[in-house]
Amino acid sequence: MRTEKVDLRIIKTRKAIKEALLTLIPIKGYDRITVQDIADEAMINRNTFYLHYMDKPDLMEKLSQECLEILNDSLASEITDLQEINKSVFTAIFKKMFLSIKSDIRLYRTMLGDNGQLSFSSRLKEVLRKHILNGAALPIHDKKKVLGLEYIISGLVGVICLWISDPEPLSIDEISEQLSDIHFNNFVDL
C-alpha cells in the first residue's frame, strides 16, 4: 500500500495564503481584498496563488469548507434516539464543538467578525442544524419546533461569537457546562 506524501512547499504556501487572508480581512474587509493583496501579504506571486486556488471566492470556499468539515466531524455522534441524550452527553457534545472551534479560532474570529463573511455564519448554522436534527429527528412540518430549533441554533452561534471575541473567555469545560444547563431542557422539549 502506497501513501502519497504531500509536498511541504504546498502545505507552507497554502498556510501562508490562509494567514494572509485572515490578516487582511479585519483590516480591509473581505470584499475589498484582491488576489494581489493576498499574494503580497503571503509573500508569493499571483501565479503561485492561482496554482492553488481559482480566485478569492474559491479560497474562501475551501477554507470555510475545511473548517466546517472539521467541526462537522467533531460533532459526529452515535446518538440516533432522542431518549439517549442526557445532560452529560449534551455537555460532551458542546465540549467537542468548542475544542474544534478552538483548533482554528483565528479563522472563526475572522469569519464571524465585523469584516468577515456573512455566509460563514449561515453555513455554521447549517452544520449545527444538521446535528441537532439527527439527534432529535424533528418533523420539519411542525412550525413551532422549527422555530425553537432556529432559536437554539442562532443562540449557539451568538455564544460562539461571544466566546471567540472575549479577551478572557470561559474555559471549554465551563462554557460547555453552562450551555448544557441553558439548552438541555429546551432541546428535550423540542
Side-chain angles (χ1 to χ4, degrees), residues 100-116:
S100 177
I101 291 167
K102 185 177 181 182
S103 72
D104 205 355
I105 198 163
R106 185 165 183 226
L107 185 129
Y108 280 91
R109 280 186 183 134
T110 303
M111 296 301 180
L112 294 171
D114 292 338
N115 288 325

